[in-house]
Amino acid sequence: MRAAVNHRFGGPEVVAVEDVPKPEPRAGEVLVRVAASTVSVGDHRLRARDLPRGMGILAMAVVGIFAPRRKILGMDFAGTVEAVGDGVTRFKPGDEVVGLTGSAFGGHAEYVCLKQTDAMVLKPAGMSFEHAVALVFGGHTVAECIRQCPIKPGDEVLVNGASGAVGIAAVQAAKHFGAVVTAVCSAGNAELVRSLGADHVVDYNKDDFARSGKQYDVIFECVGNAPFARVEGALKPGGALLLVIVDLKGMLSAKGQSRRSGKRVIPISFTPKPEDVSFELALAEAGAMRPVIDKTLTLDEVVEAHRYVDTGRKRGSVVLRIGTQ
């Protein structure tokens, strides 16, 4: 099969499309013929070994030391079940599915193999592979956030990094649950986030939300520049800071900061679960969440996709079309 492979850490040019062995499903496993995936910030981090401060040692088992342990990137996929191993009951050949591989990666290939219990569900009928896969990376993360910190009608919610894949899902999910949503992004993305449901927009080039005097019930931190020390004053008593991106210091200090302040500091682990994949798909079917696709490129254009993600300016998802189905 063809796959986008990286044998060393570095810039986008280290990724190349090569022929690699096609996986075979073992007992309890499902083989998926991949139609689409996305190139995400997670792919950037693994390819470039660009990890939050202090996280290198903790991530060594996944990332590798001198060379990547995961040669094929891609944390999500949408496609069609081609074969199943012995004992598989959840899926059958011909099923159209969408899901996440998480730290196993492997989505940037014509085929991927997963356990039937992994974070994979049936794709809604009538939804394209590209639209489905554009929902899952950000939507799954937001589902985990909301599971740990339910959003109530009337809550004041701020999303820092509102135009990225996670931020776009956070804006829409918070609005669906009845929150008053403030989106932090560049002025160029203000119209987009308003169209997704944001009630207020803060241009980070002009204003610092952490120093405005405004307080929020929940802050989604999707950028990496808003640790608790910076935003404590922007949280209401009992409010929650959801650390989608967090360094080692932030992770280790979260419990102590919560006890001291009476405000919840919650690092998000990004642990793929089938029910969290279902979360955003159900919202999409209900009309409460829509995918935002910045670019759609082919597998042969994977280097261009990585270059674009590296700019930090993508809006929503960069979809990688793997095959025709």
Side-chain angles (χ1 to χ4, degrees):
M1 69 174 182
R2 300 175 75 237
V5 178
N6 65 309
H7 297 287
R8 59 189 175 90
F9 298 116
E13 67 281 354
V14 304
V15 183
V17 178
E18 300 178 1
D19 287 323
V20 301
K22 176 182 172 181
E24 295 293 335
R26 296 176 293 184
E29 292 184 340
V30 177
L31 178 68
V32 178
R33 179 161 43 98
V34 179
S37 182
T38 71
V39 179
S40 69
V41 66
D43 297 307
H44 158 81
R45 289 192 180 281
L46 184 64
R47 188 209 73 227
R49 211 169 188 273
D50 177 18
L51 304 173
R53 182 176 300 178
M55 301 298 282
I57 294 177
L58 293 180
M60 192 179 300
V62 173
V63 177
I65 304 174
F66 304 110
R69 291 180 61 88
R70 305 288 190 263
K71 306 299 184 187
I72 301 173
L73 299 176
M75 301 183 76
D76 51 27
F77 64 92
T80 304
V81 174
E82 174 145 311
V84 299
D86 292 341
V88 171
T89 57
R90 286 189 63 209
F91 303 99
K92 65 183 185 301
D95 283 345
E96 294 184 342
V97 295
V98 59
L100 290 124
T101 57
S103 61
F105 288 85
H108 296 168
E110 291 180 321
Y111 293 90
V112 66
C113 209
L114 301 91
K115 296 177 182 177
Q116 68 166 334
T117 54
D118 284 343
M120 176 170 57
V121 301
L122 294 174
K123 180 182 70 65
M127 183 181 293
S128 72
F129 290 115
E130 288 86 358
H131 281 188
V133 81
L135 287 167
V136 296
F137 183 85
H140 171 276
T141 305
V142 169
E144 185 174 340
C145 291
I146 292 175
R147 189 171 64 248
Q148 297 201 49
C149 178
I151 292 174
K152 306 180 299 299
D155 277 352
E156 294 272 2
V157 173
L158 179 135
V159 181
N160 185 38
S163 59
V166 177
I168 279 171
V171 168
Q172 294 181 89
K175 192 65 180 177
H176 170 72
F177 288 110
V180 178
V181 181
T182 298
V184 180
C185 61
S186 66
N189 289 323
E191 183 178 349
L192 169 64
V193 297
R194 284 196 179 98
S195 75
L196 298 172
D199 299 284
H200 311 287
V201 178
V202 175
D203 178 359
Y204 62 77
N205 288 307
K206 293 183 178 180
D207 299 300
D208 182 356
F209 75 87
R211 303 181 68 177
S212 69
K214 173 73 174 176
Q215 290 190 315
Y216 301 90
D217 297 286
V218 180
I219 294 176
F220 285 83
E221 161 44 346
C222 308
V223 178
N225 65 2
F228 183 71
R230 177 187 168 202
V231 304
E232 180 179 3
L235 282 169
K236 294 180 182 180
L241 172 63
L242 300 169
L243 295 169
V244 175
I245 298 179
V246 60
D247 61 15
L248 182 61
K249 179 180 178 182
M251 181 181 294
L252 295 178
S253 61
K255 288 185 179 180
Q257 290 168 333
S258 297
R259 287 194 299 267
R260 174 185 60 78
S261 67
K263 302 173 182 182
R264 293 172 291 165
V265 183
I266 306 173
I268 303 303
S269 65
F270 194 80
T271 305
K273 297 177 183 294
E275 57 266 33
D276 289 342
V277 178
S278 297
F279 169 85
E280 63 269 18
L281 297 177
L283 289 188
E285 287 191 288
M289 185 176 291
R290 65 176 173 90
V292 174
I293 298 176
D294 193 323
K295 290 178 180 287
T296 301
L297 300 168
T298 67
L299 181 61
D300 288 317
E301 296 172 306
V302 66
V303 172
E304 180 184 342
H306 275 271
R307 286 198 181 108
Y308 187 63
V309 171
D310 280 10
T311 67
R313 299 183 184 278
K314 74 177 180 71
R315 307 195 325 166
S317 298
V318 173
V319 171
L320 201 62
R321 187 180 291 122
I322 307 293
T324 57
Q325 299 187 37

